[in-house]
Amino acid sequence: MTLPHYPLLRRELDNGLRLLISENRRLPLISMTALVVAGADQNPPERPGLATLTARLLDEGSSRYSADQVARLVESTGGLLSTFSQREFSGVSLSLAADHWTLGVELLAESIRCPRFPRDKFLKERERLLNQLRAAQDDPQRVSSALLSRAIYRGTPLQHPPQGTLHGVRRTQLGDVRDFQSRKYAPQNTLLAIVGDIQAEAVVEEVETRFGDWRNSDYQRTPIAQLVRQSAPSRHRRHMEKEQVHILIGHLGVPRRHPDFHALQVLDIILGSGPGFTSRVPRKLRDDRGLAYTTYCDLTGSCGLYPGRFVAYISTSPENRQAALSGLLHELRLVREEGVLPEELSLAQDYLTGSFVFDFQSNADLARFLIFTELFQLGSDYPQRYAEFIRAVSIGEVTRVARVHLDTVNYCQVMVGPVRGWHAQE
């Protein structure tokens, strides 16, 4: 499937802010996203969760507007404003009617450049985040995922979930939030994407007015330690009184710009992240053998500026834990040793090229895609070339990347559930 060409105007302001604009006049709507390349990776070691807490307060008022005023302004346009923070970036997204686009640019500038961080809002948001972290402690899937990340990214801020830890969030004070925003938010690490019923040159002028004089001489980016894939197996258990056992095996993956990315996407679909009829692990372990409630394998889904995680997951009954683990490892070894079939490759390529169009269903989808295209330097013609990249993947390439990027010896194994009394060597 060939995607239509999306008009793109790219401008870089004198202060380093990158602006991406795409005109789409099908509906009188606009989506805007301001993304700052500062997420959990920039958290101080003793403050996991700081980036998330900072981002959650970006819509709680600015130097010009109170939190209530921001809410009323957004509601008056029929719009929706939201904040986000993940492993590598944070920011604000706004969707609204096209008639109010200048207000939208102003609100993004106010949120990113000069958030107010009221103490009462900070205290409420910190308590809300603590409650979510408490709830996560009773969720075996989140517990198992956190244990895996701790093993893979040990010694870096990425070892903790982006939402942080109870200890880290409890210790976070309002001054920490203000300091994080003042040191980590700057025009030189900010991308702004605006998509919809607009005139591009008018948007450039408005963005220059709202963002052009933004400077931040206090900007600091903290590098993280080099990430290296483990060279020995490790095993971790966490007992929880639950009905299911959650099993993860995994290790460090690759960054998004790795040259093997598209071949690994194909491998993911064949092995365990596509629909059941195209993916081996769900079909064999869940459908055929009845060993799994849920199961998947994925290597490319978490790729970013930093290497993501290879994860193979299965949830099963306690009595089937060993059979499920053995079956999961067997499928990983099989794809490394014997490769894949021509029909598997064809189905995976059809699925990837056919589903790619769903990345562009809305203005918000396109704004997000434009930012990641810029962030990972994929090229403005990437949507048109994606099918070419996927179709170029051969059976030999899938076998090669499986052998290079899937380690069935030196991996981390995590089991969470009713595991009391089990031996680590199981």
Side-chain angles (χ1 to χ4, degrees):
M1 176 180 294
T2 301
L3 291 171
H5 177 72
Y6 292 94
L8 172 64
L9 176 64
R10 181 191 184 279
R11 292 287 175 87
E12 185 168 329
L13 276 56
D14 291 341
N15 58 11
L17 183 144
R18 285 171 281 176
L19 173 62
L20 309 165
I21 305 172
S22 183
E23 297 182 8
N24 178 10
R25 302 188 182 282
R26 288 180 297 177
L27 293 172
L29 301 172
I30 294 177
S31 288
M32 305 177 174
T33 295
L35 180 143
V36 180
V37 187
D41 64 318
Q42 295 301 299
N43 286 332
E46 71 282 3
R47 297 287 190 277
L50 177 56
T52 290
L53 192 51
T54 302
R56 289 188 177 195
L57 292 164
L58 294 176
D59 61 350
E60 297 290 357
S62 68
S63 61
R64 182 173 182 182
Y65 299 112
S66 69
D68 289 342
Q69 287 174 320
V70 170
R72 285 197 296 270
L73 285 169
V74 173
E75 289 173 5
S76 71
T77 70
L80 177 65
L81 186 149
S82 60
T83 65
F84 58 87
S85 184
Q86 300 177 24
R87 187 177 70 178
E88 301 164 336
F89 40 78
S90 306
V92 180
S93 291
L94 175 62
S95 297
L96 72 170
D99 291 345
H100 303 286
W101 71 268
T102 55
L103 173 63
V105 175
E106 180 188 7
L107 290 177
L108 285 189
E110 290 285 314
S111 299
I112 294 293
R113 292 186 57 176
C114 46
R116 183 179 293 184
F117 299 128
R119 177 169 292 277
D120 60 333
K121 301 293 185 181
F122 163 75
L123 293 173
K124 288 180 181 178
E125 196 58 52
R126 184 176 64 176
E127 188 57 35
R128 186 178 293 116
L129 182 55
L130 286 170
N131 287 334
Q132 292 171 354
L133 291 170
R134 293 183 188 105
Q137 291 185 322
D138 194 48
D139 183 337
Q141 278 191 277
R142 295 181 66 175
V143 169
S144 58
S145 181
L147 287 172
L148 183 66
S149 287
R150 188 182 304 170
I152 291 174
Y153 298 112
R154 185 175 300 279
T156 77
L158 305 183
Q159 69 181 322
H160 303 296
Q163 293 78 18
T165 64
L166 283 169
H167 181 66
V169 173
R170 282 195 196 103
R171 295 182 63 183
T172 300
Q173 303 299 316
L174 181 57
D176 298 318
V177 169
R178 288 174 171 159
D179 184 68
F180 188 90
Q181 190 275 335
S182 68
R183 292 180 181 272
K184 304 300 182 181
Y185 285 40
Q188 57 265 47
N189 73 332
T190 298
L191 294 86
L192 177 59
I194 301 178
V195 177
D197 188 6
I198 46 171
Q199 293 184 343
E201 290 299 334
V203 171
V204 172
E205 185 176 344
E206 186 67 20
V207 170
E208 285 275 11
T209 299
R210 299 294 180 183
F211 287 92
D213 63 345
W214 184 20
R215 301 290 187 276
N216 186 357
S217 59
D218 295 328
Y219 171 62
Q220 296 178 358
R221 180 166 180 82
T222 305
I224 69 172
Q226 183 178 3
L227 299 169
V228 180
R229 202 162 83 185
Q230 66 193 74
S231 56
S234 62
R235 287 168 174 78
H236 307 267
R237 301 284 190 271
R238 178 70 59 83
H239 180 80
M240 297 180 72
E241 290 293 346
K242 302 292 182 180
E243 294 182 358
Q244 299 177 26
V245 180
H246 299 262
I247 303 171
L248 288 172
I249 60 177
H251 53 68
L252 189 69
V254 299
R256 173 60 182 83
R257 293 190 64 198
H258 195 286
D260 289 340
F261 177 82
H262 294 102
L264 288 169
Q265 271 198 313
V266 174
L267 174 63
D268 275 348
I269 298 301
I270 293 173
L271 192 56
S273 64
F277 62 86
T278 60
S279 290
R280 291 185 180 185
V281 168
R283 185 179 72 249
K284 293 183 178 181
L285 300 187
R286 183 191 62 203
D287 301 340
D288 294 349
R289 298 181 61 188
L291 290 175
Y293 298 106
T294 305
T295 184
Y296 65 85
C297 297
D298 177 79
L299 203 151
T300 59
S302 58
C303 294
L305 296 173
Y306 304 105
R309 312 182 305 176
F310 165 66
V311 180
Y313 167 82
I314 190 165
S315 64
T316 188
S317 60
E319 60 270 20
N320 284 329
R321 68 183 186 275
Q322 195 55 50
L325 175 59
S326 297
L328 202 55
L329 287 168
H330 174 74
E331 294 304 324
L332 298 180
R333 290 168 181 150
L334 196 64
V335 77
R336 281 172 49 91
E337 294 165 5
E338 299 185 9
V340 301
L341 300 173
E343 54 266 33
E344 289 181 308
L345 174 64
S346 179
L347 280 171
Q349 290 171 325
D350 288 346
Y351 175 77
L352 285 168
T353 56
S355 61
F356 186 61
V357 68
F358 294 110
D359 288 345
F360 306 90
Q361 292 187 95
S362 68
N363 288 336
D365 292 334
L366 182 55
R368 194 161 39 247
F369 191 87
L370 292 178
I371 284 178
F372 292 134
T373 299
E374 173 74 19
L375 201 59
F376 302 126
Q377 301 176 1
L378 302 179
S380 60
D381 62 344
Y382 183 74
Q384 288 72 45
R385 300 186 62 197
Y386 178 76
E388 172 190 332
F389 295 141
I390 295 299
R391 295 293 180 190
V393 175
S394 66
I395 288 179
E397 274 292 283
V398 175
T399 303
R400 180 187 67 81
V401 298
R403 291 172 178 170
V404 170
H405 297 288
L406 301 184
D407 194 331
T408 58
V409 177
N410 300 312
Y411 59 86
C412 174
Q413 180 195 117
V414 174
M415 283 192 182
V416 173
V419 299
R420 185 175 289 135
W422 297 2
H423 299 294
Q425 64 266 26
E426 280 190 320

